[in-house]
Amino acid sequence: EDLTSVAHATMSISLWYLGQYDSAQRASEVSIVRARKLNHRYSLLQTLSIASELQRLCGDPDAVTRLTTEGLALAQDMQAPLWSEILTGSEAWANAARGDVSAVAELALGVHKVSTIARGLVPFAITRWVEACDLVGDVQTGMQVAARGLGAATDSKDVHYLSEFQRYKGKFLFAQGQPASVVLPWLRRAVTTAQACGSPPLMLRAVLSLIRYSADGGTPDALALLENAL
């Protein structure tokens, strides 16, 4: 394992959460280029896998597919089950982004497989699953997945994932036609959690959801938060 390549890849995710999108893309590119130059296949596999997650965060299914196509071939050749599952999940997310409803079931299976290999990655795997539910409009499954994600993120104390699960919970409740008294507390929790993370993109997502699903536009405080997140 080339630690420098993997460090750049890992840093790319941290930079995205800090709202430094261009720097995140550059770090990801550096990690892949370095792993290729060193001809270190395992490091390349890791950097491709992490890069696929970065592109999911950026909402680019085509970039995800390009990375997973190469990564999955490498994972299968190297018999690396964990990275294979991560890449399979990335590709399923990309399919969901294109409207493939079968991707939801594929991601559900992926969460189970990841839990048998690396339980610490379960909140991460559930995040992609819940987003896929949202992308294809599967509100009923999404509610169940959000509840599972809330439990997993609370147990792991991962506030980055917790913010997203709270946001999706509120969003799915709104889609079910629940009253504002039920929906808005979840969206406000998502904002509060995102603030605690110090993550501008999570703040942006949470505040936009609060404004979008509030009859009063989320109050002036929400608009002030939105200005800070932009």
Side-chain angles (χ1 to χ4, degrees), residues 171-196:
K171 190 173 183 179
F172 290 136
L173 285 167
F174 179 87
Q176 286 185 331
Q178 296 293 332
S181 60
V182 176
V183 174
L184 296 186
W186 283 103
L187 298 177
R188 292 192 180 108
R189 284 178 199 142
V191 171
T192 300
T193 305
Q195 278 183 297

mmCIF file with all atom_site columns, all heavy atoms in Angstrom, residues 171-196:
data_model
loop_
_atom_site.group_PDB
_atom_site.id
_atom_site.type_symbol
_atom_site.label_atom_id
_atom_site.label_alt_id
_atom_site.label_comp_id
_atom_site.label_asym_id
_atom_site.label_entity_id
_atom_site.label_seq_id
_atom_site.pdbx_PDB_ins_code
_atom_site.Cartn_x
_atom_site.Cartn_y
_atom_site.Cartn_z
_atom_site.occupancy
_atom_site.B_iso_or_equiv
_atom_site.pdbx_formal_charge
_atom_site.auth_seq_id
_atom_site.auth_comp_id
_atom_site.auth_asym_id
_atom_site.auth_atom_id
_atom_site.pdbx_PDB_model_num
ATOM 1   N N   . LYS A 1 171 ? -37.504 14.678 4.631  1.00 0.00 ? 171 LYS A N   1
ATOM 2   C CA  . LYS A 1 171 ? -37.912 14.729 3.219  1.00 0.00 ? 171 LYS A CA  1
ATOM 3   C C   . LYS A 1 171 ? -38.931 13.641 2.895  1.00 0.00 ? 171 LYS A C   1
ATOM 4   O O   . LYS A 1 171 ? -39.936 13.882 2.212  1.00 0.00 ? 171 LYS A O   1
ATOM 5   C CB  . LYS A 1 171 ? -36.674 14.594 2.334  1.00 0.00 ? 171 LYS A CB  1
ATOM 6   C CG  . LYS A 1 171 ? -36.929 14.863 0.864  1.00 0.00 ? 171 LYS A CG  1
ATOM 7   C CD  . LYS A 1 171 ? -35.625 14.868 0.087  1.00 0.00 ? 171 LYS A CD  1
ATOM 8   C CE  . LYS A 1 171 ? -35.872 15.200 -1.375 1.00 0.00 ? 171 LYS A CE  1
ATOM 9   N NZ  . LYS A 1 171 ? -34.619 15.242 -2.156 1.00 0.00 ? 171 LYS A NZ  1
ATOM 10  N N   . PHE A 1 172 ? -38.695 12.440 3.394  1.00 0.00 ? 172 PHE A N   1
ATOM 11  C CA  . PHE A 1 172 ? -39.634 11.338 3.133  1.00 0.00 ? 172 PHE A CA  1
ATOM 12  C C   . PHE A 1 172 ? -40.955 11.549 3.871  1.00 0.00 ? 172 PHE A C   1
ATOM 13  O O   . PHE A 1 172 ? -42.021 11.203 3.352  1.00 0.00 ? 172 PHE A O   1
ATOM 14  C CB  . PHE A 1 172 ? -39.002 10.002 3.530  1.00 0.00 ? 172 PHE A CB  1
ATOM 15  C CG  . PHE A 1 172 ? -37.870 9.559  2.637  1.00 0.00 ? 172 PHE A CG  1
ATOM 16  C CD1 . PHE A 1 172 ? -36.692 9.043  3.169  1.00 0.00 ? 172 PHE A CD1 1
ATOM 17  C CD2 . PHE A 1 172 ? -37.972 9.657  1.265  1.00 0.00 ? 172 PHE A CD2 1
ATOM 18  C CE1 . PHE A 1 172 ? -35.651 8.634  2.351  1.00 0.00 ? 172 PHE A CE1 1
ATOM 19  C CE2 . PHE A 1 172 ? -36.930 9.253  0.428  1.00 0.00 ? 172 PHE A CE2 1
ATOM 20  C CZ  . PHE A 1 172 ? -35.770 8.745  0.974  1.00 0.00 ? 172 PHE A CZ  1
ATOM 21  N N   . LEU A 1 173 ? -40.882 12.106 5.070  1.00 0.00 ? 173 LEU A N   1
ATOM 22  C CA  . LEU A 1 173 ? -42.114 12.416 5.801  1.00 0.00 ? 173 LEU A CA  1
ATOM 23  C C   . LEU A 1 173 ? -42.955 13.426 5.020  1.00 0.00 ? 173 LEU A C   1
ATOM 24  O O   . LEU A 1 173 ? -44.184 13.312 4.943  1.00 0.00 ? 173 LEU A O   1
ATOM 25  C CB  . LEU A 1 173 ? -41.784 12.960 7.191  1.00 0.00 ? 173 LEU A CB  1
ATOM 26  C CG  . LEU A 1 173 ? -41.311 11.931 8.219  1.00 0.00 ? 173 LEU A CG  1
ATOM 27  C CD1 . LEU A 1 173 ? -40.718 12.633 9.437  1.00 0.00 ? 173 LEU A CD1 1
ATOM 28  C CD2 . LEU A 1 173 ? -42.449 10.998 8.639  1.00 0.00 ? 173 LEU A CD2 1
ATOM 29  N N   . PHE A 1 174 ? -42.295 14.416 4.446  1.00 0.00 ? 174 PHE A N   1
ATOM 30  C CA  . PHE A 1 174 ? -42.999 15.398 3.623  1.00 0.00 ? 174 PHE A CA  1
ATOM 31  C C   . PHE A 1 174 ? -43.652 14.713 2.424  1.00 0.00 ? 174 PHE A C   1
ATOM 32  O O   . PHE A 1 174 ? -44.805 15.007 2.080  1.00 0.00 ? 174 PHE A O   1
ATOM 33  C CB  . PHE A 1 174 ? -42.029 16.478 3.143  1.00 0.00 ? 174 PHE A CB  1
ATOM 34  C CG  . PHE A 1 174 ? -42.669 17.527 2.273  1.00 0.00 ? 174 PHE A CG  1
ATOM 35  C CD1 . PHE A 1 174 ? -43.260 18.640 2.849  1.00 0.00 ? 174 PHE A CD1 1
ATOM 36  C CD2 . PHE A 1 174 ? -42.679 17.406 0.896  1.00 0.00 ? 174 PHE A CD2 1
ATOM 37  C CE1 . PHE A 1 174 ? -43.859 19.612 2.057  1.00 0.00 ? 174 PHE A CE1 1
ATOM 38  C CE2 . PHE A 1 174 ? -43.273 18.359 0.094  1.00 0.00 ? 174 PHE A CE2 1
ATOM 39  C CZ  . PHE A 1 174 ? -43.867 19.474 0.679  1.00 0.00 ? 174 PHE A CZ  1
ATOM 40  N N   . ALA A 1 175 ? -42.909 13.799 1.784  1.00 0.00 ? 175 ALA A N   1
ATOM 41  C CA  . ALA A 1 175 ? -43.442 13.086 0.625  1.00 0.00 ? 175 ALA A CA  1
ATOM 42  C C   . ALA A 1 175 ? -44.655 12.236 0.991  1.00 0.00 ? 175 ALA A C   1
ATOM 43  O O   . ALA A 1 175 ? -45.527 11.988 0.149  1.00 0.00 ? 175 ALA A O   1
ATOM 44  C CB  . ALA A 1 175 ? -42.354 12.216 0.001  1.00 0.00 ? 175 ALA A CB  1
ATOM 45  N N   . GLN A 1 176 ? -44.707 11.791 2.242  1.00 0.00 ? 176 GLN A N   1
ATOM 46  C CA  . GLN A 1 176 ? -45.855 11.022 2.711  1.00 0.00 ? 176 GLN A CA  1
ATOM 47  C C   . GLN A 1 176 ? -47.066 11.903 3.037  1.00 0.00 ? 176 GLN A C   1
ATOM 48  O O   . GLN A 1 176 ? -48.144 11.390 3.332  1.00 0.00 ? 176 GLN A O   1
ATOM 49  C CB  . GLN A 1 176 ? -45.480 10.226 3.969  1.00 0.00 ? 176 GLN A CB  1
ATOM 50  C CG  . GLN A 1 176 ? -44.599 9.017  3.720  1.00 0.00 ? 176 GLN A CG  1
ATOM 51  C CD  . GLN A 1 176 ? -44.364 8.224  4.983  1.00 0.00 ? 176 GLN A CD  1
ATOM 52  O OE1 . GLN A 1 176 ? -44.372 8.768  6.097  1.00 0.00 ? 176 GLN A OE1 1
ATOM 53  N NE2 . GLN A 1 176 ? -44.142 6.928  4.831  1.00 0.00 ? 176 GLN A NE2 1
ATOM 54  N N   . GLY A 1 177 ? -46.878 13.208 2.994  1.00 0.00 ? 177 GLY A N   1
ATOM 55  C CA  . GLY A 1 177 ? -47.968 14.117 3.304  1.00 0.00 ? 177 GLY A CA  1
ATOM 56  C C   . GLY A 1 177 ? -48.135 14.408 4.776  1.00 0.00 ? 177 GLY A C   1
ATOM 57  O O   . GLY A 1 177 ? -49.197 14.869 5.213  1.00 0.00 ? 177 GLY A O   1
ATOM 58  N N   . GLN A 1 178 ? -47.082 14.164 5.561  1.00 0.00 ? 178 GLN A N   1
ATOM 59  C CA  . GLN A 1 178 ? -47.148 14.427 6.997  1.00 0.00 ? 178 GLN A CA  1
ATOM 60  C C   . GLN A 1 178 ? -47.176 15.937 7.253  1.00 0.00 ? 178 GLN A C   1
ATOM 61  O O   . GLN A 1 178 ? -46.653 16.724 6.469  1.00 0.00 ? 178 GLN A O   1
ATOM 62  C CB  . GLN A 1 178 ? -45.948 13.804 7.705  1.00 0.00 ? 178 GLN A CB  1
ATOM 63  C CG  . GLN A 1 178 ? -45.886 12.292 7.625  1.00 0.00 ? 178 GLN A CG  1
ATOM 64  C CD  . GLN A 1 178 ? -47.017 11.626 8.396  1.00 0.00 ? 178 GLN A CD  1
ATOM 65  O OE1 . GLN A 1 178 ? -47.525 12.172 9.376  1.00 0.00 ? 178 GLN A OE1 1
ATOM 66  N NE2 . GLN A 1 178 ? -47.416 10.445 7.950  1.00 0.00 ? 178 GLN A NE2 1
ATOM 67  N N   . PRO A 1 179 ? -47.788 16.365 8.368  1.00 0.00 ? 179 PRO A N   1
ATOM 68  C CA  . PRO A 1 179 ? -47.870 17.797 8.662  1.00 0.00 ? 179 PRO A CA  1
ATOM 69  C C   . PRO A 1 179 ? -46.511 18.398 9.001  1.00 0.00 ? 179 PRO A C   1
ATOM 70  O O   . PRO A 1 179 ? -45.562 17.686 9.346  1.00 0.00 ? 179 PRO A O   1
ATOM 71  C CB  . PRO A 1 179 ? -48.811 17.848 9.871  1.00 0.00 ? 179 PRO A CB  1
ATOM 72  C CG  . PRO A 1 179 ? -48.677 16.512 10.515 1.00 0.00 ? 179 PRO A CG  1
ATOM 73  C CD  . PRO A 1 179 ? -48.460 15.538 9.392  1.00 0.00 ? 179 PRO A CD  1
ATOM 74  N N   . ALA A 1 180 ? -46.457 19.723 8.921  1.00 0.00 ? 180 ALA A N   1
ATOM 75  C CA  . ALA A 1 180 ? -45.209 20.435 9.202  1.00 0.00 ? 180 ALA A CA  1
ATOM 76  C C   . ALA A 1 180 ? -44.692 20.144 10.602 1.00 0.00 ? 180 ALA A C   1
ATOM 77  O O   . ALA A 1 180 ? -43.480 20.113 10.832 1.00 0.00 ? 180 ALA A O   1
ATOM 78  C CB  . ALA A 1 180 ? -45.424 21.937 9.015  1.00 0.00 ? 180 ALA A CB  1
ATOM 79  N N   . SER A 1 181 ? -45.602 19.924 11.542 1.00 0.00 ? 181 SER A N   1
ATOM 80  C CA  . SER A 1 181 ? -45.193 19.653 12.929 1.00 0.00 ? 181 SER A CA  1
ATOM 81  C C   . SER A 1 181 ? -44.401 18.353 13.041 1.00 0.00 ? 181 SER A C   1
ATOM 82  O O   . SER A 1 181 ? -43.662 18.154 14.011 1.00 0.00 ? 181 SER A O   1
ATOM 83  C CB  . SER A 1 181 ? -46.421 19.587 13.842 1.00 0.00 ? 181 SER A CB  1
ATOM 84  O OG  . SER A 1 181 ? -47.304 18.549 13.413 1.00 0.00 ? 181 SER A OG  1
ATOM 85  N N   . VAL A 1 182 ? -44.549 17.481 12.062 1.00 0.00 ? 182 VAL A N   1
ATOM 86  C CA  . VAL A 1 182 ? -43.808 16.216 12.030 1.00 0.00 ? 182 VAL A CA  1
ATOM 87  C C   . VAL A 1 182 ? -42.548 16.351 11.174 1.00 0.00 ? 182 VAL A C   1
ATOM 88  O O   . VAL A 1 182 ? -41.485 15.838 11.520 1.00 0.00 ? 182 VAL A O   1
ATOM 89  C CB  . VAL A 1 182 ? -44.700 15.075 11.482 1.00 0.00 ? 182 VAL A CB  1
ATOM 90  C CG1 . VAL A 1 182 ? -43.900 13.775 11.340 1.00 0.00 ? 182 VAL A CG1 1
ATOM 91  C CG2 . VAL A 1 182 ? -45.900 14.857 12.390 1.00 0.00 ? 182 VAL A CG2 1
ATOM 92  N N   . VAL A 1 183 ? -42.672 17.047 10.058 1.00 0.00 ? 183 VAL A N   1
ATOM 93  C CA  . VAL A 1 183 ? -41.580 17.153 9.093  1.00 0.00 ? 183 VAL A CA  1
ATOM 94  C C   . VAL A 1 183 ? -40.459 18.071 9.577  1.00 0.00 ? 183 VAL A C   1
ATOM 95  O O   . VAL A 1 183 ? -39.273 17.714 9.555  1.00 0.00 ? 183 VAL A O   1
ATOM 96  C CB  . VAL A 1 183 ? -42.115 17.662 7.740  1.00 0.00 ? 183 VAL A CB  1
ATOM 97  C CG1 . VAL A 1 183 ? -40.959 17.908 6.761  1.00 0.00 ? 183 VAL A CG1 1
ATOM 98  C CG2 . VAL A 1 183 ? -43.118 16.680 7.152  1.00 0.00 ? 183 VAL A CG2 1
ATOM 99  N N   . LEU A 1 184 ? -40.841 19.276 10.006 1.00 0.00 ? 184 LEU A N   1
ATOM 100 C CA  . LEU A 1 184 ? -39.833 20.311 10.257 1.00 0.00 ? 184 LEU A CA  1
ATOM 101 C C   . LEU A 1 184 ? -38.854 20.003 11.386 1.00 0.00 ? 184 LEU A C   1
ATOM 102 O O   . LEU A 1 184 ? -37.674 20.372 11.282 1.00 0.00 ? 184 LEU A O   1
ATOM 103 C CB  . LEU A 1 184 ? -40.522 21.656 10.506 1.00 0.00 ? 184 LEU A CB  1
ATOM 104 C CG  . LEU A 1 184 ? -41.313 22.211 9.317  1.00 0.00 ? 184 LEU A CG  1
ATOM 105 C CD1 . LEU A 1 184 ? -41.843 23.606 9.616  1.00 0.00 ? 184 LEU A CD1 1
ATOM 106 C CD2 . LEU A 1 184 ? -40.468 22.228 8.045  1.00 0.00 ? 184 LEU A CD2 1
ATOM 107 N N   . PRO A 1 185 ? -39.274 19.337 12.477 1.00 0.00 ? 185 PRO A N   1
ATOM 108 C CA  . PRO A 1 185 ? -38.275 19.016 13.504 1.00 0.00 ? 185 PRO A CA  1
ATOM 109 C C   . PRO A 1 185 ? -37.102 18.198 12.970 1.00 0.00 ? 185 PRO A C   1
ATOM 110 O O   . PRO A 1 185 ? -35.951 18.416 13.392 1.00 0.00 ? 185 PRO A O   1
ATOM 111 C CB  . PRO A 1 185 ? -39.088 18.240 14.542 1.00 0.00 ? 185 PRO A CB  1
ATOM 112 C CG  . PRO A 1 185 ? -40.476 18.765 14.402 1.00 0.00 ? 185 PRO A CG  1
ATOM 113 C CD  . PRO A 1 185 ? -40.641 19.005 12.930 1.00 0.00 ? 185 PRO A CD  1
ATOM 114 N N   . TRP A 1 186 ? -37.370 17.297 12.045 1.00 0.00 ? 186 TRP A N   1
ATOM 115 C CA  . TRP A 1 186 ? -36.287 16.484 11.480 1.00 0.00 ? 186 TRP A CA  1
ATOM 116 C C   . TRP A 1 186 ? -35.365 17.342 10.619 1.00 0.00 ? 186 TRP A C   1
ATOM 117 O O   . TRP A 1 186 ? -34.135 17.188 10.658 1.00 0.00 ? 186 TRP A O   1
ATOM 118 C CB  . TRP A 1 186 ? -36.858 15.331 10.656 1.00 0.00 ? 186 TRP A CB  1
ATOM 119 C CG  . TRP A 1 186 ? -37.372 14.238 11.519 1.00 0.00 ? 186 TRP A CG  1
ATOM 120 C CD1 . TRP A 1 186 ? -38.674 13.952 11.815 1.00 0.00 ? 186 TRP A CD1 1
ATOM 121 C CD2 . TRP A 1 186 ? -36.583 13.290 12.241 1.00 0.00 ? 186 TRP A CD2 1
ATOM 122 N NE1 . TRP A 1 186 ? -38.751 12.886 12.673 1.00 0.00 ? 186 TRP A NE1 1
ATOM 123 C CE2 . TRP A 1 186 ? -37.479 12.459 12.952 1.00 0.00 ? 186 TRP A CE2 1
ATOM 124 C CE3 . TRP A 1 186 ? -35.212 13.064 12.367 1.00 0.00 ? 186 TRP A CE3 1
ATOM 125 C CZ2 . TRP A 1 186 ? -37.040 11.413 13.764 1.00 0.00 ? 186 TRP A CZ2 1
ATOM 126 C CZ3 . TRP A 1 186 ? -34.767 12.019 13.176 1.00 0.00 ? 186 TRP A CZ3 1
ATOM 127 C CH2 . TRP A 1 186 ? -35.674 11.209 13.860 1.00 0.00 ? 186 TRP A CH2 1
ATOM 128 N N   . LEU A 1 187 ? -35.938 18.253 9.851  1.00 0.00 ? 187 LEU A N   1
ATOM 129 C CA  . LEU A 1 187 ? -35.115 19.116 9.007  1.00 0.00 ? 187 LEU A CA  1
ATOM 130 C C   . LEU A 1 187 ? -34.301 20.091 9.844  1.00 0.00 ? 187 LEU A C   1
ATOM 131 O O   . LEU A 1 187 ? -33.147 20.393 9.518  1.00 0.00 ? 187 LEU A O   1
ATOM 132 C CB  . LEU A 1 187 ? -36.003 19.861 8.015  1.00 0.00 ? 187 LEU A CB  1
ATOM 133 C CG  . LEU A 1 187 ? -36.771 18.967 7.026  1.00 0.00 ? 187 LEU A CG  1
ATOM 134 C CD1 . LEU A 1 187 ? -37.666 19.801 6.130  1.00 0.00 ? 187 LEU A CD1 1
ATOM 135 C CD2 . LEU A 1 187 ? -35.812 18.123 6.196  1.00 0.00 ? 187 LEU A CD2 1
ATOM 136 N N   . ARG A 1 188 ? -34.881 20.558 10.938 1.00 0.00 ? 188 ARG A N   1
ATOM 137 C CA  . ARG A 1 188 ? -34.128 21.453 11.829 1.00 0.00 ? 188 ARG A CA  1
ATOM 138 C C   . ARG A 1 188 ? -32.999 20.700 12.529 1.00 0.00 ? 188 ARG A C   1
ATOM 139 O O   . ARG A 1 188 ? -31.916 21.256 12.759 1.00 0.00 ? 188 ARG A O   1
ATOM 140 C CB  . ARG A 1 188 ? -35.071 22.095 12.844 1.00 0.00 ? 188 ARG A CB  1
ATOM 141 C CG  . ARG A 1 188 ? -36.058 23.084 12.208 1.00 0.00 ? 188 ARG A CG  1
ATOM 142 C CD  . ARG A 1 188 ? -36.783 23.908 13.243 1.00 0.00 ? 188 ARG A CD  1
ATOM 143 N NE  . ARG A 1 188 ? -37.708 24.847 12.615 1.00 0.00 ? 188 ARG A NE  1
ATOM 144 C CZ  . ARG A 1 188 ? -39.033 24.725 12.629 1.00 0.00 ? 188 ARG A CZ  1
ATOM 145 N NH1 . ARG A 1 188 ? -39.602 23.700 13.256 1.00 0.00 ? 188 ARG A NH1 1
ATOM 146 N NH2 . ARG A 1 188 ? -39.796 25.615 12.039 1.00 0.00 ? 188 ARG A NH2 1
ATOM 147 N N   . ARG A 1 189 ? -33.262 19.445 12.885 1.00 0.00 ? 189 ARG A N   1
ATOM 148 C CA  . ARG A 1 189 ? -32.180 18.632 13.472 1.00 0.00 ? 189 ARG A CA  1
ATOM 149 C C   . ARG A 1 189 ? -31.042 18.474 12.472 1.00 0.00 ? 189 ARG A C   1
ATOM 150 O O   . ARG A 1 189 ? -29.858 18.511 12.844 1.00 0.00 ? 189 ARG A O   1
ATOM 151 C CB  . ARG A 1 189 ? -32.713 17.252 13.863 1.00 0.00 ? 189 ARG A CB  1
ATOM 152 C CG  . ARG A 1 189 ? -33.549 17.238 15.127 1.00 0.00 ? 189 ARG A CG  1
ATOM 153 C CD  . ARG A 1 189 ? -34.075 15.842 15.405 1.00 0.00 ? 189 ARG A CD  1
ATOM 154 N NE  . ARG A 1 189 ? -35.206 15.883 16.317 1.00 0.00 ? 189 ARG A NE  1
ATOM 155 C CZ  . ARG A 1 189 ? -36.275 15.111 16.244 1.00 0.00 ? 189 ARG A CZ  1
ATOM 156 N NH1 . ARG A 1 189 ? -36.354 14.204 15.292 1.00 0.00 ? 189 ARG A NH1 1
ATOM 157 N NH2 . ARG A 1 189 ? -37.249 15.207 17.117 1.00 0.00 ? 189 ARG A NH2 1
ATOM 158 N N   . ALA A 1 190 ? -31.395 18.263 11.209 1.00 0.00 ? 190 ALA A N   1
ATOM 159 C CA  . ALA A 1 190 ? -30.364 18.105 10.176 1.00 0.00 ? 190 ALA A CA  1
ATOM 160 C C   . ALA A 1 190 ? -29.513 19.367 10.081 1.00 0.00 ? 190 ALA A C   1
ATOM 161 O O   . ALA A 1 190 ? -28.281 19.290 9.942  1.00 0.00 ? 190 ALA A O   1
ATOM 162 C CB  . ALA A 1 190 ? -31.014 17.802 8.830  1.00 0.00 ? 190 ALA A CB  1
ATOM 163 N N   . VAL A 1 191 ? -30.149 20.533 10.160 1.00 0.00 ? 191 VAL A N   1
ATOM 164 C CA  . VAL A 1 191 ? -29.409 21.795 10.117 1.00 0.00 ? 191 VAL A CA  1
ATOM 165 C C   . VAL A 1 191 ? -28.480 21.905 11.324 1.00 0.00 ? 191 VAL A C   1
ATOM 166 O O   . VAL A 1 191 ? -27.294 22.251 11.188 1.00 0.00 ? 191 VAL A O   1
ATOM 167 C CB  . VAL A 1 191 ? -30.384 22.990 10.082 1.00 0.00 ? 191 VAL A CB  1
ATOM 168 C CG1 . VAL A 1 191 ? -29.626 24.304 10.266 1.00 0.00 ? 191 VAL A CG1 1
ATOM 169 C CG2 . VAL A 1 191 ? -31.156 23.012 8.767  1.00 0.00 ? 191 VAL A CG2 1
ATOM 170 N N   . THR A 1 192 ? -29.007 21.606 12.496 1.00 0.00 ? 192 THR A N   1
ATOM 171 C CA  . THR A 1 192 ? -28.202 21.694 13.721 1.00 0.00 ? 192 THR A CA  1
ATOM 172 C C   . THR A 1 192 ? -27.011 20.745 13.674 1.00 0.00 ? 192 THR A C   1
ATOM 173 O O   . THR A 1 192 ? -25.882 21.104 14.042 1.00 0.00 ? 192 THR A O   1
ATOM 174 C CB  . THR A 1 192 ? -29.068 21.373 14.954 1.00 0.00 ? 192 THR A CB  1
ATOM 175 O OG1 . THR A 1 192 ? -30.136 22.324 15.030 1.00 0.00 ? 192 THR A OG1 1
ATOM 176 C CG2 . THR A 1 192 ? -28.249 21.446 16.232 1.00 0.00 ? 192 THR A CG2 1
ATOM 177 N N   . THR A 1 193 ? -27.246 19.533 13.204 1.00 0.00 ? 193 THR A N   1
ATOM 178 C CA  . THR A 1 193 ? -26.167 18.546 13.116 1.00 0.00 ? 193 THR A CA  1
ATOM 179 C C   . THR A 1 193 ? -25.124 18.971 12.095 1.00 0.00 ? 193 THR A C   1
ATOM 180 O O   . THR A 1 193 ? -23.916 18.834 12.325 1.00 0.00 ? 193 THR A O   1
ATOM 181 C CB  . THR A 1 193 ? -26.731 17.159 12.747 1.00 0.00 ? 193 THR A CB  1
ATOM 182 O OG1 . THR A 1 193 ? -27.746 16.797 13.685 1.00 0.00 ? 193 THR A OG1 1
ATOM 183 C CG2 . THR A 1 193 ? -25.639 16.094 12.760 1.00 0.00 ? 193 THR A CG2 1
ATOM 184 N N   . ALA A 1 194 ? -25.589 19.488 10.944 1.00 0.00 ? 194 ALA A N   1
ATOM 185 C CA  . ALA A 1 194 ? -24.658 19.955 9.916  1.00 0.00 ? 194 ALA A CA  1
ATOM 186 C C   . ALA A 1 194 ? -23.815 21.114 10.434 1.00 0.00 ? 194 ALA A C   1
ATOM 187 O O   . ALA A 1 194 ? -22.620 21.205 10.142 1.00 0.00 ? 194 ALA A O   1
ATOM 188 C CB  . ALA A 1 194 ? -25.425 20.364 8.661  1.00 0.00 ? 194 ALA A CB  1
ATOM 189 N N   . GLN A 1 195 ? -24.429 21.985 11.220 1.00 0.00 ? 195 GLN A N   1
ATOM 190 C CA  . GLN A 1 195 ? -23.666 23.085 11.836 1.00 0.00 ? 195 GLN A CA  1
ATOM 191 C C   . GLN A 1 195 ? -22.568 22.547 12.741 1.00 0.00 ? 195 GLN A C   1
ATOM 192 O O   . GLN A 1 195 ? -21.440 23.039 12.740 1.00 0.00 ? 195 GLN A O   1
ATOM 193 C CB  . GLN A 1 195 ? -24.598 23.975 12.657 1.00 0.00 ? 195 GLN A CB  1
ATOM 194 C CG  . GLN A 1 195 ? -25.362 25.009 11.863 1.00 0.00 ? 195 GLN A CG  1
ATOM 195 C CD  . GLN A 1 195 ? -26.193 25.897 12.771 1.00 0.00 ? 195 GLN A CD  1
ATOM 196 O OE1 . GLN A 1 195 ? -27.098 25.436 13.453 1.00 0.00 ? 195 GLN A OE1 1
ATOM 197 N NE2 . GLN A 1 195 ? -25.876 27.177 12.795 1.00 0.00 ? 195 GLN A NE2 1
ATOM 198 N N   . ALA A 1 196 ? -22.907 21.516 13.510 1.00 0.00 ? 196 ALA A N   1
ATOM 199 C CA  . ALA A 1 196 ? -21.923 20.919 14.419 1.00 0.00 ? 196 ALA A CA  1
ATOM 200 C C   . ALA A 1 196 ? -20.764 20.300 13.656 1.00 0.00 ? 196 ALA A C   1
ATOM 201 O O   . ALA A 1 196 ? -19.634 20.254 14.153 1.00 0.00 ? 196 ALA A O   1
ATOM 202 C CB  . ALA A 1 196 ? -22.595 19.868 15.298 1.00 0.00 ? 196 ALA A CB  1
#
